[in-house]
Amino acid sequence: MNKTSINIILKTLSYFLALIVILGSSSFGISFGSFFYISILFIFSFLILIIQKEIFIYNLNIFFLVIASVLSLLLNDVPSYFSSYQRLLFFVIILFIIGPLCISQTLQNFRQRLFVILNNFNILFCSFSFLGLISGLYVGLTTRNGLDRPDFTGFYNHSMILGPASSIALLTCLYYFYESGNKIKKIFLIILICLCAMSAITAGSRAALVGLLIGLLFFYYKKYKGRMTRFIKTLSFVVFLLIISFPIWEDNTKFLMNKFNRAEDSNDPFDSRSDKWNLRLTEFQTSPIFGIGFASVSVIDQTSLEKLKGIIEPGSSWLSVLSMTGILGFVPIFIFFTSHFTFLFRLKTSGENIASYLGSLFLLFTLHMLFEGYIFASGAFLFFYLWLFLGILEGYRRQKNLS
């Protein structure tokens, strides 16, 4: 099989895999399950193996994270309903094919193509979510947990997916805007930015919105680094636009305000996450070195576990790494994130657009993962996007070694 044929197959796999990932988290009830993910990734693994003269580079921090995850299962008696070994297998496959565990030129090309396709699908989902709401054709409102409290989910199946997904889409459109030299395309991208912003606000995810704001600050700081006057002028202009346009989008903040009101009524500013964080810390204290087991929580944590389904809601990605894999797992992932932030902060590229974009996404995820526990959630949209992004980022960091 020649490289042209392989490239055609990889391009087809990229589209197919992106569709599976995004439709699996959609509100349309379309779910293909992990089998399809694994099948596609195994096909890709086979194609990688038959390509000759590839340079493979491995990230030791991610390798140690995998080792820590394996040890956490071998040294703990994890209940079978968590399906932890199956989730670990899927996790390792993801880390190898799209994540930062292994880097090669073919892998990087595949990841970049997949990243662009998934981003474009996500932009469509997020922008059409708000269009559907204001047009009345598809309002995307869902009532959860038997409560008379609707959430705006748009084309996704949960508001906590739509919020960060819309933030990602906005930052991506902003990057496309500065990369484009076409005036008509720039106008179109401004419209998409506004639609994605409204989806993010209406979804009401406070963590995603704060992460988005921090990401935007870094985007323009990096873009105008050394030109502080330009940075301040741009920031002032954006704030001015938000203030004068507030009467237009004020009504769309009702879901966000509802969460603030519920938090105030319950005297918990983090809306029940405090209990989950305390449980993760308690789990860590019971087994600080090896953790309590990959992709599992303690059986006493009924608020985070649907026992019959084995569904886990740990409340924080960072704390879940600490509680599930202990210090052995937390230290390498902490070093990985710290070294990559240092790389992004120092990265200098033409126009600074790619450095600004990657850095803004990195900070969005870093902050958002404090409040949402998807880092080990095999099959979830945010899990897939996070590790794909980190794989892309690792590729950029190692680019000189691949040539």
Side-chain angles (χ1 to χ4, degrees):
M1 185 180 294
N2 58 42
K3 286 196 173 183
T4 302
S5 299
I6 291 174
N7 286 333
I8 293 174
I9 293 174
L10 293 182
K11 187 174 182 179
T12 304
L13 287 175
S14 299
Y15 276 100
F16 191 46
L17 185 56
L19 275 173
I20 288 175
V21 170
I22 204 160
L23 289 177
S25 297
S26 72
S27 58
F28 309 136
I30 303 174
S31 180
F32 298 92
S34 299
F35 172 77
F36 283 90
Y37 284 99
I38 296 174
S39 298
I40 292 174
L41 293 174
F42 266 126
I43 292 172
F44 182 76
S45 301
F46 173 75
L47 291 173
I48 289 295
L49 291 175
I50 65 176
I51 295 175
Q52 301 297 315
K53 298 180 181 179
E54 278 282 300
I55 300 173
F56 287 91
I57 303 169
Y58 295 89
N59 185 285
L60 286 179
N61 285 311
I62 300 301
F63 176 76
F64 287 134
L65 174 63
V66 172
I67 296 300
S69 300
V70 172
L71 289 175
S72 74
L73 291 181
L74 294 178
L75 299 175
N76 287 283
D77 184 18
V78 179
S80 59
Y81 51 75
F82 287 115
S83 302
S84 294
Y85 285 95
Q86 179 183 337
R87 292 182 179 185
L88 178 59
L89 173 63
F90 183 44
F91 180 60
V92 174
I93 293 172
I94 285 290
L95 289 182
F96 177 75
I97 300 300
I98 68 167
L101 176 60
C102 179
I103 305 296
S104 75
Q105 191 59 63
T106 300
L107 281 170
Q108 182 69 355
N109 292 340
F110 172 74
R111 291 166 186 171
Q112 288 177 341
R113 182 185 294 117
L114 177 60
F115 191 61
V116 170
I117 295 169
L118 189 59
N119 271 324
N120 291 341
F121 281 148
N122 181 50
I123 290 169
L124 288 176
F125 263 51
C126 296
S127 56
F128 276 93
S129 290
F130 188 70
L131 282 176
L133 177 66
I134 60 177
S135 67
L137 297 175
Y138 183 82
V139 294
L141 296 176
T142 302
T143 301
R144 294 187 294 114
N145 301 327
L147 302 175
D148 186 20
R149 175 168 57 86
D151 289 327
F152 176 58
T153 67
F155 280 11
Y156 285 104
N157 56 20
H158 202 295
S159 61
M160 294 298 99
I161 298 177
L162 178 64
S166 297
S167 300
I168 291 168
L170 189 155
L171 292 172
T172 304
C173 288
L174 190 65
Y175 168 66
Y176 288 166
F177 174 84
Y178 284 108
E179 284 289 290
S180 175
N182 186 297
K183 290 185 178 180
I184 296 178
K185 186 176 180 180
K186 280 181 176 287
I187 294 173
F188 179 66
L189 285 167
I190 290 174
I191 294 172
L192 289 179
I193 288 171
C194 293
L195 291 174
C196 291
M198 294 313 303
S199 286
I201 292 170
T202 312
S205 172
R206 293 171 295 172
L209 287 172
V210 173
L212 173 61
L213 290 175
I214 299 299
L216 284 170
L217 284 174
F218 182 88
F219 187 100
Y220 282 108
Y221 167 79
K222 190 69 177 177
K223 182 173 179 60
Y224 297 127
K225 192 174 182 180
R227 294 176 288 170
M228 192 54 63
T229 302
R230 184 71 181 274
F231 171 72
I232 294 174
K233 284 182 178 180
T234 301
L235 186 62
S236 301
F237 178 69
V238 172
V239 172
F240 175 72
L241 284 180
L242 289 174
I243 293 174
I244 64 172
S245 64
F246 181 70
I248 299 175
W249 49 272
E250 180 181 7
D251 289 343
N252 296 101
T253 63
K254 60 182 179 181
F255 299 105
L256 182 64
M257 297 310 299
N258 285 341
K259 291 187 177 182
F260 279 111
N261 293 334
R262 288 199 305 272
E264 184 177 350
D265 292 339
S266 63
N267 294 319
D268 184 355
F270 300 109
D271 195 15
S272 79
R273 281 185 176 83
S274 296
D275 292 337
K276 293 183 174 65
W277 293 346
N278 289 332
L279 284 165
R280 300 292 82 75
L281 291 173
T282 301
E283 291 166 349
F284 167 70
Q285 291 169 1
T286 62
S287 181
I289 305 300
F290 301 103
I292 64 168
F294 179 84
S296 68
V297 294
S298 60
V299 293
I300 61 171
D301 184 7
Q302 298 300 323
T303 61
S304 294
L305 166 67
E306 292 184 33
K307 186 172 181 179
L308 294 177
K309 296 180 181 179
I311 297 174
I312 303 168
E313 189 181 344
S316 169
S317 290
W318 294 112
L319 290 180
S320 64
V321 175
L322 191 64
S323 67
M324 295 174 187
T325 63
I327 293 174
L328 286 181
F330 185 81
V331 169
I333 195 67
F334 179 79
I335 294 174
F336 177 86
F337 268 76
T338 302
S339 62
H340 282 71
F341 177 72
T342 302
F343 162 73
L344 286 169
F345 191 80
R346 295 175 177 175
L347 179 62
K348 294 181 180 180
T349 57
S350 178
E352 297 293 335
N353 290 331
I354 188 62
S356 301
Y357 174 55
L358 294 176
S360 64
L361 284 181
F362 185 86
L363 286 176
L364 167 62
F365 273 114
T366 301
L367 192 146
H368 188 255
M369 287 195 301
L370 287 170
F371 301 91
E372 296 293 341
Y374 48 82
I375 193 168
F376 290 151
S378 300
F381 172 78
L382 291 176
F383 162 86
F384 188 92
Y385 192 99
L386 167 67
W387 287 110
L388 174 60
F389 166 69
L390 294 178
I392 293 283
L393 188 56
E394 177 71 1
Y396 274 106
R397 193 169 77 92
R398 303 286 194 124
Q399 197 67 54
K400 291 183 180 178
N401 302 102
L402 297 179
S403 57

